[in-house]
Amino acid sequence: MSQTQRPTMPETPPSPSIWARSRMKLQFFARVRRFLQAKTTQRNAKSRNKVVVSKEEQVATADKQSGGGGGGGGGGDDDSVVLQRSVKRLHFGGMEEKEMAAVEIERLAREDVKMRKLMAELGVIPALVGMAASEVAGRRRVAIKALIELADGTYTNKALMVEAGIFSKLPANIDVLEEPTRHEFAELILSLSSLANHTQFPLASSEVLPFLIRILESNSSCETKESCLGTLYNLSAVLDNAGALLSNGAAQTLLRLIPVKPLSEKALATLGHLVVTLMGKKAMENSSLVPESLIEVMTWEDYPKCQELSAYILMILAHQSSAQREKMAKSGIVPVLLELALLGSPLAQKRSLKLLQWFKDERQTRMGPHSGPQTARIAIGSPVNHREAQEGKKLMKNLVKQSLHKNMEMITRRANATSGDSSSRLKSLVISTSSKSLPC
């Protein structure tokens, strides 16, 4: 009795999405296989040159690897096996598996530069950048920490992160971020800001500057703000970035940070980059914090670098600007400059003496084209000009005498606090040095 044959149904071809997913898996495993083959070859070459160790040493080594080598990835697993598993989880696993993979990737990237480059080739950076935008705080943090390690010392990895759109993942509202996450974001952006010296850094079209300014104006920790200031300093070193920085209110924010002494030096250094531009100089001239905040810095004896930077910024502002010099004089800059000229660092002394020379007599100064205010000489035959010059000279002489008297009393009091017999020597130093530096 013959059996009837059932008609066979034609097979439906797989959808294009399945083909693409399969192809990606094949490419991924092919890369991992090549990496494992290379690691095996290196391991075999090393083993031929090793001296055979005793069984006790082998046991101790095995115990050590099983106790700390896995790092949460399966005890004594080899790094290449952990890498293979972590990358697979990151690409194809669930959310919890992705978090575990990010932790392993952070550990592996911290240990080896070559491993960082290999992981970038395996496509982990776009996946981690996507996780950095997660609303789950823990998932976002492990992704950012892994990206920080992957960016360390590798220009290519940093460029890949910018290409993957890491800046578009920055939240518009920093209040949704906890302090540790703010700090890690700031640290990652600081690392990426080194690209500003080599490539076109996407400042105008990104959320980098608003994000940094918001952190600097918030109640974040000093460590977090230091990272943000480091980024602004790197960006301000490129003059083309000055416009974007100033339009986002960087100058006013930096001026408000000057009184915070742990942050003052980096803030002043960044302002020093901006003040040499026309927009930067105008922004500082129009600020209500200038020149008082800068003059106050010049009294910080324990912060000589800050004194030097503040004097530099004031020199730029006072250059060829009688309005700014008048504003500084009314704010009491002359006594402060006299003290700095006597007790400051060599560079601070040089800058303060230059400023004092400008204040001494603007009408008869002898400055080069790039060293100070440019004014015409007084005509000797004109009685009006001569009378004005004498009055100006007399006024400046009285001002200098008053400043010297106040300054001498202040320095003498400080000297008496340390040693009794040094006050007379310091007093004579004040008189002799001042008389040489400021002839009336």
Side-chain angles (χ1 to χ4, degrees), residues 203-204 209 235-236 238-251 273-274 277-280 283:
L203 276 184
L209 291 178
L235 298 178
S236 65
V238 181
L239 292 180
D240 293 340
N241 294 333
L245 287 163
L246 293 166
S247 62
N248 280 276
H273 285 161
L274 296 175
T277 66
L278 184 61
M279 288 180 61

Coordinates of all heavy atoms in Angstrom, one line a residue, residues 203-204 209 235-236 238-251 273-274 277-280 283:
L203 N 31.9 73.2 19.2 CA 31.5 74.1 20.3 C 30.1 74.7 20.0 O 29.2 74.6 20.9 CB 32.5 75.1 20.6 CG 33.7 74.8 21.5 CD1 34.6 76.0 21.7 CD2 33.3 74.2 22.8
A204 N 30.0 75.3 18.9 CA 28.8 76.1 18.6 C 27.6 75.3 18.6 O 26.5 75.7 18.9 CB 29.0 76.9 17.3
L209 N 29.4 73.8 26.3 CA 29.6 75.0 27.1 C 28.4 75.3 28.0 O 28.7 75.7 29.2 CB 29.8 76.2 26.1 CG 31.2 76.2 25.4 CD1 31.3 77.3 24.4 CD2 32.3 76.2 26.3
L235 N 40.0 75.0 25.9 CA 39.2 75.5 24.7 C 39.6 77.0 24.5 O 39.7 77.4 23.3 CB 37.7 75.4 25.0 CG 37.2 74.0 25.2 CD1 35.7 74.1 25.5 CD2 37.4 73.2 23.9
S236 N 39.9 77.7 25.5 CA 40.2 79.2 25.4 C 41.6 79.3 24.8 O 41.9 80.4 24.3 CB 40.1 79.9 26.7 OG 41.1 79.4 27.6
V238 N 42.6 78.1 22.1 CA 42.4 78.3 20.7 C 41.5 79.6 20.5 O 40.4 79.7 20.9 CB 41.6 77.1 20.1 CG1 41.4 77.3 18.6 CG2 42.4 75.8 20.4
L239 N 42.1 80.6 19.9 CA 41.5 81.9 19.8 C 40.2 81.9 19.1 O 39.3 82.7 19.3 CB 42.4 82.9 19.1 CG 43.7 83.3 19.9 CD1 44.5 84.3 19.1 CD2 43.3 83.9 21.2
D240 N 40.0 80.9 18.1 CA 38.7 80.8 17.4 C 37.6 80.4 18.3 O 36.4 80.6 17.9 CB 38.9 79.8 16.3 CG 39.8 80.3 15.2 OD1 40.1 81.5 15.1 OD2 40.3 79.4 14.4
N241 N 37.9 79.9 19.5 CA 36.8 79.5 20.4 C 36.3 80.6 21.3 O 35.4 80.5 22.0 CB 37.3 78.3 21.3 CG 37.5 77.1 20.5 OD1 36.9 76.9 19.4 ND2 38.4 76.2 21.0
A242 N 37.0 81.8 21.2 CA 36.7 82.9 22.2 C 35.3 83.3 22.0 O 34.6 83.6 23.0 CB 37.7 84.0 22.0
G243 N 34.8 83.5 20.7 CA 33.4 83.9 20.5 C 32.4 83.1 21.2 O 31.5 83.5 21.8
A244 N 32.5 81.7 21.0 CA 31.6 80.8 21.6 C 31.6 80.9 23.1 O 30.6 80.8 23.8 CB 31.8 79.4 21.1
L245 N 32.8 80.9 23.6 CA 32.9 81.0 25.1 C 32.3 82.2 25.7 O 31.6 82.2 26.7 CB 34.4 80.9 25.5 CG 35.1 79.6 25.3 CD1 36.6 79.8 25.3 CD2 34.7 78.6 26.4
L246 N 32.6 83.4 25.1 CA 32.0 84.7 25.6 C 30.5 84.8 25.4 O 29.8 85.3 26.2 CB 32.8 85.8 24.9 CG 34.3 85.9 25.3 CD1 35.0 86.8 24.3 CD2 34.5 86.4 26.7
S247 N 30.0 84.3 24.3 CA 28.6 84.3 24.1 C 27.8 83.5 25.0 O 26.6 83.7 25.3 CB 28.3 83.9 22.6 OG 28.6 82.6 22.4
N248 N 28.5 82.5 25.6 CA 27.8 81.7 26.7 C 28.0 82.2 28.1 O 27.7 81.5 29.0 CB 28.3 80.2 26.6 CG 27.7 79.4 25.4 OD1 26.6 78.9 25.6 ND2 28.3 79.4 24.3
G249 N 28.6 83.4 28.2 CA 28.8 84.0 29.5 C 30.0 83.5 30.3 O 30.0 83.6 31.5
A250 N 31.0 83.0 29.6 CA 32.1 82.4 30.3 C 32.9 83.4 31.1 O 33.4 83.2 32.2 CB 33.1 81.7 29.3
A251 N 33.1 84.7 30.6 CA 33.9 85.7 31.2 C 33.3 86.0 32.6 O 34.0 86.1 33.6 CB 34.0 86.9 30.4
H273 N 43.6 84.1 28.6 CA 43.5 83.8 27.2 C 42.4 84.6 26.5 O 42.6 85.0 25.3 CB 43.1 82.3 27.0 CG 44.2 81.3 27.3 ND1 44.0 80.0 27.6 CD2 45.6 81.5 27.3 CE1 45.2 79.4 27.8 NE2 46.1 80.3 27.6
L274 N 41.4 84.9 27.2 CA 40.2 85.6 26.6 C 40.5 87.1 26.5 O 40.0 87.8 25.6 CB 39.0 85.4 27.4 CG 38.4 83.9 27.5 CD1 37.2 83.8 28.4 CD2 38.1 83.4 26.1
T277 N 41.7 89.0 23.3 CA 40.7 89.2 22.1 C 39.9 90.4 22.4 O 39.7 90.8 23.5 CB 39.8 88.0 22.0 OG1 38.9 87.9 23.1 CG2 40.6 86.7 21.9
L278 N 39.4 91.0 21.3 CA 38.7 92.3 21.4 C 37.4 92.0 22.2 O 37.0 92.8 23.1 CB 38.3 92.8 20.0 CG 37.6 94.1 20.0 CD1 38.5 95.2 20.6 CD2 37.3 94.5 18.5
M279 N 36.7 90.9 21.9 CA 35.4 90.6 22.6 C 35.7 90.3 24.1 O 34.9 90.8 24.9 CB 34.8 89.4 22.0 CG 34.2 89.6 20.6 SD 33.4 88.1 20.0 CE 32.2 87.7 21.2
G280 N 36.8 89.6 24.4 CA 37.1 89.3 25.8 C 37.4 90.5 26.6 O 37.0 90.7 27.7
A283 N 34.3 92.5 27.2 CA 33.4 91.8 28.2 C 33.9 92.1 29.6 O 33.1 92.3 30.6 CB 33.3 90.3 28.0

